[in-house]
Amino acid sequence: MDSIKRYMRFVKPYRWEILLTIFIGILKFAIPLFIPILIKIVIDDIIGAPDLTDSEKITQLVYWLGGTVILFFIIRPPIEYYRQYFAQHVGNKVLFDIRQELFGHLQKLSLKYYANTRAGEVISRVINDVEQTKNFIMIGLMNLWLDVATILIAIGIMLAMDVKLTLVAIIALPFFGISVRYFFGKLRDLTRKRSQALAHVQSYLHERVSGISIIKSFTLEKHEQNIFDKENGEFLDRALDHTKWNAKSFAVVNTITDIAPLLVIGYAGYRAIQGDLSVGTMAAFYAYIERLYSPLRRLVNSSTTLTQSIASMDRMFELMDEEYDVKDKENSRELPSVKGQVSFENVNFQYEKDGQMILKNINFNIKPGETAAFVGMSGGGKSTIVSLIPRFYNVTGGAVKIDDTDVNDVVIHSLRAQIGIVLQDNILFSDSVKQNILMGRPDATDDEVIAAAKAANAHDFIMTLPDGYDTKVGERGVKLSGGQKQRVAIARVFLKNPPILVLDEATSALDLESEALIQDSLERLASNRTTIIIAHRLSTITHADKIFVIDHGELVEEGNHESLMKKQGVYYDLFQIQKLD
């Protein structure tokens, strides 16, 4: 029940609204409890009254029914409205607070977490599991207490009418409690497994919908259908396990609750025949039995829903408990405006604690304003090096320094604010062109956005789009060509105007025209700032002040183009392979 205790932290700010909702709900559920009393009055005090004439009986009937109409059609509707309104209001506010905290948490998790976790799994927990927890508020904190209050009020009225008959009516309650405890103990585990299987289906769908072009181009429809059938079948198996146990529990519990009315009818009928009980009291008791055991049946339904809600809480808090691999130290300080010196001192790095060493004893120094390029075969560790500069990962050993300040000692936000990154495959969000450029600096003016776009050679093509800067680019920028996406990505770095620039194979896989435009904008962007380039084609970095050759995680050569060519080492061999001499 640790999850429930933790969940109450989100509920606590709305405790008075919940109490008000419960109070209004008690009124709502108490009003129908008048009906059995009305039945008794009509049978015993009106129909069976020997000293009343037929006319007086009709008058009495109209009088009682008139009062009941006022109660049910004038007083009860606003009570029902406010109960529903406050219950939904509180539930939605709690979910709003949870999702806000979860989204903030997700943004603090490292890239390592996202590399090891499927996006669909994360989305399932933030959307589906959080939504399921709303049932805990609606049922566990509200309806549960309303049903308990209804049962207690009904038992109180029944005791006032006839103690012996009441004891007969509630004789099944202990058996009810034992059966609920037995059957619903296992349901939580089954519910958790069912939710996990559903998350796998959702995660699979998310990935395949995102990569539908690959499935179609490789004609993998039948293959993917088979895989989906397996994932979906796994969910079906878990769902059926859950359903079987649920059905078994309902069969037993409902059988127990069905015994009570039969006992009441038998005992009350016997006493009525003996003349020890009025017919009106017998009818009223039977009506109260329905109002006593209907809430109990609802409690059984609630137990199922609550079990699912608590299982969802467990999954939600599992996500919330994910630790931050990369976080600010206690005494971190803001990194002031930097000149742009970048240095690695004996840096070692591995992604997993017991995994392969990706970088081994890397040492280099890049002076402010210099252009440095990292080259080497794919998988050598070039991208890993540049991901350590903005501290997307923590080094395993050694230190990464900006202006002689260890990046581990500064506030992460202040570090990354001074680094601009252009990737080979830049991600654009399914918003307008303008909003994507504004991610470089959200408070920039329209004139500054346009100036950044012009500097990135993007303004001209943007103006040809249907809605110009307000054109929606589609998910991941699907409505734009590769070159257009790249220029928008460069524009947002122009807007950010950072002292350190990282270009990770920013011009590879583009057509010649796009590459020429982008190369021009990148040269303009790199002017007067420290620029770090990862390059596949060596022809694009011959101008660099320093070239570092990375091979299997080690820095094997460094120098400028001329000195490395004279050395005729690894760089020279790479150059010859590309036939660029």
Side-chain angles (χ1 to χ4, degrees):
M1 293 297 154
D2 182 54
S3 293
I4 294 177
K5 290 179 182 177
R6 294 180 64 183
Y7 195 81
M8 293 305 292
R9 173 170 68 87
F10 296 99
V11 174
K12 192 175 179 181
Y14 307 102
R15 59 188 180 279
W16 294 113
E17 287 181 55
I18 291 173
L19 289 173
L20 176 62
T21 307
I22 292 172
F23 175 73
I24 294 172
I26 290 172
L27 292 178
K28 178 223 166 178
F29 281 101
I31 288 172
L33 293 177
F34 174 71
I35 293 295
I37 296 175
L38 180 64
I39 292 171
K40 182 182 185 304
I41 291 169
V42 170
I43 294 174
D44 289 347
D45 300 337
I46 298 177
I47 296 174
D51 53 344
L52 292 178
T53 65
D54 289 348
S55 175
E56 288 173 331
K57 288 179 180 179
I58 291 171
T59 302
Q60 287 287 319
L61 183 63
V62 171
Y63 170 77
W64 281 103
L65 286 177
T68 306
V69 166
I70 293 171
L71 187 63
F72 276 85
F73 291 95
I74 296 177
I75 297 174
R76 195 167 185 258
I79 289 175
E80 176 68 36
Y81 169 81
Y82 282 110
R83 192 195 90 79
Q84 289 292 341
Y85 173 79
F86 283 124
Q88 292 293 336
H89 176 77
V90 171
N92 290 324
K93 286 287 288 181
V94 169
L95 297 200
F96 173 83
D97 293 344
I98 290 172
R99 287 200 177 104
Q100 270 203 317
E101 184 164 317
L102 266 177
F103 187 72
H105 174 67
L106 290 175
Q107 292 192 92
K108 292 177 184 176
L109 291 172
S110 70
L111 294 184
K112 179 181 176 182
Y113 171 79
Y114 291 104
N116 296 326
T117 310
R118 295 164 83 178
E121 176 81 14
V122 176
I123 293 167
S124 177
R125 296 197 185 204
V126 177
I127 302 300
N128 295 346
D129 286 319
V130 171
E131 192 66 31
Q132 284 288 346
T133 67
K134 185 179 179 182
N135 290 323
F136 175 75
I137 303 165
M138 305 298 292
I139 295 171
L141 296 180
M142 294 182 187
N143 291 2
L144 188 68
W145 296 110
L146 298 180
D147 285 333
V148 170
T150 302
I151 291 167
L152 293 176
I153 293 169
I155 291 173
I157 296 171
M158 291 162 73
L159 285 169
M161 291 171 66
D162 193 293
V163 175
K164 290 181 181 177
L165 198 53
T166 304
L167 294 176
V168 171
I170 64 174
I171 199 168
L173 285 180
F175 300 100
F176 172 85
I178 292 167
S179 61
V180 167
R181 183 178 178 83
Y182 171 76
F183 282 105
F184 291 94
K186 186 179 178 182
L187 205 58
R188 181 176 178 182
D189 182 56
L190 291 173
T191 304
R192 187 187 292 110
K193 289 178 179 176
R194 179 182 176 276
S195 297
Q196 186 69 41
L198 180 61
H200 285 164
V201 173
Q202 182 167 341
S203 184
Y204 177 86
L205 277 173
H206 181 271
E207 285 184 343
R208 266 46 183 191
V209 169
S210 300
I212 194 69
S213 59
I214 299 296
I215 293 171
K216 287 183 177 295
S217 64
F218 284 92
T219 61
L220 293 170
E221 287 88 348
K222 286 186 179 179
H223 173 73
E224 290 297 327
Q225 184 68 55
N226 291 335
I227 297 176
F228 179 76
D229 289 348
K230 185 178 177 182
E231 291 279 354
N232 203 24
E234 183 68 22
F235 169 66
L236 177 62
D237 290 341
R238 299 288 77 77
L240 289 177
D241 288 343
H242 182 275
T243 300
K244 286 174 189 174
W245 192 256
N246 203 28
K248 194 183 293 184
S249 62
F250 270 97
V252 173
V253 170
N254 285 336
T255 299
I256 292 171
T257 58
D258 287 339
I259 291 172
L262 296 177
L263 293 174
V264 167
I265 291 171
Y267 182 62
Y270 170 76
R271 287 183 58 190
I273 291 169
Q274 296 292 318
D276 189 32
L277 192 73
S278 71
V279 176
T281 302
M282 177 181 172
F285 249 90
Y286 183 77
Y288 274 122
I289 282 289
E290 285 301 307
R291 280 156 178 76
L292 178 64
Y293 282 94
S294 287
L296 285 175
R297 290 190 184 97
R298 278 200 302 272
L299 286 173
V300 175
N301 288 322
S302 300
S303 299
T304 307
T305 310
L306 279 174
T307 302
Q308 189 163 340
S309 180
I310 293 167
S312 291
M313 274 185 211
D314 293 340
R315 283 169 45 78
M316 181 186 86
F317 284 120
E318 277 177 16
L319 175 58
M320 216 172 261
D321 289 340
E322 284 290 341
E323 294 185 1
Y324 306 134
D325 294 313
V326 179
K327 58 184 177 181
D328 291 328
K329 289 163 63 174
E330 277 189 26
N331 300 318
S332 296
R333 65 181 190 277
E334 292 284 329
L335 181 65
S337 295
V338 300
K339 296 175 182 177
Q341 180 178 325
V342 179
S343 56
F344 274 44
E345 297 178 0
N346 303 314
V347 169
N348 296 304
F349 178 75
Q350 56 193 148
Y351 285 104
E352 303 295 339
K353 188 175 287 186
D354 300 321
Q356 177 187 354
M357 193 65 73
I358 306 299
L359 299 177
K360 306 160 193 169
N361 200 37
I362 301 292
N363 288 277
F364 62 79
N365 183 56
I366 303 169
K367 295 176 182 176
E370 281 189 331
T371 295
F374 289 86
V375 301
M377 300 297 286
S378 295
K382 304 184 298 296
S383 292
T384 302
I385 288 174
V386 298
S387 68
L388 295 178
I389 297 170
R391 204 181 159 206
F392 290 148
Y393 301 93
N394 285 325
V395 297
T396 306
V400 176
K401 294 186 176 180
I402 306 289
D403 288 3
D404 293 324
T405 301
D406 193 322
V407 296
N408 284 334
D409 296 333
V410 299
V411 176
I412 295 170
H413 185 272
S414 68
L415 166 67
R416 294 175 185 167
Q418 305 197 54
I419 301 170
I421 302 175
V422 182
L423 304 171
Q424 177 182 348
D425 182 22
N426 281 285
I427 293 174
L428 301 185
F429 294 98
S430 57
D431 211 324
S432 66
V433 174
K434 177 184 172 183
Q435 289 302 321
N436 273 284
I437 296 174
L438 276 171
M439 297 194 80
R441 184 156 51 86
D443 60 350
T445 65
D446 287 352
D447 288 341
E448 289 172 322
V449 169
I450 291 169
K454 286 180 176 177
N457 289 327
H459 177 74
D460 291 342
F461 93 77
I462 292 173
M463 295 310 294
T464 65
L465 297 174
D467 298 311
Y469 281 84
D470 294 320
T471 302
K472 304 285 185 183
V473 301
E475 190 168 0
R476 298 179 68 91
V478 70
K479 294 181 181 178
L480 303 182
S481 70
Q484 290 171 336
K485 284 170 61 177
Q486 203 72 328
R487 279 177 274 169
V488 171
I490 293 168
R492 64 189 178 197
V493 178
F494 264 112
L495 195 61
K496 185 177 185 179
N497 193 27
I500 299 171
L501 175 65
V502 175
L503 307 175
D504 190 347
E505 300 198 35
T507 61
S508 64
L510 295 176
D511 58 75
L512 292 175
E513 183 181 356
S514 293
E515 183 176 356
L517 286 168
I518 288 169
Q519 199 65 47
D520 175 66
S521 61
L522 287 176
E523 288 173 10
R524 198 177 301 132
L525 181 60
S527 177
N528 300 319
R529 72 184 86 225
T530 303
T531 304
I532 298 168
I533 304 171
I534 292 178
H536 176 67
R537 282 179 286 180
L538 304 188
S539 62
T540 61
I541 51 91
T542 54
H543 66 287
D545 300 304
K546 291 178 180 175
I547 298 172
F548 300 103
V549 183
I550 307 297
D551 186 38
H552 294 91
E554 296 185 60
L555 177 56
V556 293
E557 289 179 355
E558 66 176 286
N560 58 24
H561 174 71
E562 289 76 17
S563 66
L564 290 174
M565 288 300 289
K566 287 178 184 176
K567 191 174 182 181
Q568 294 195 4
V570 177
Y571 180 81
Y572 177 85
D573 291 339
L574 286 171
F575 209 85
Q576 297 305 317
I577 290 170
Q578 293 190 11
K579 298 179 182 178
L580 297 174
D581 190 14

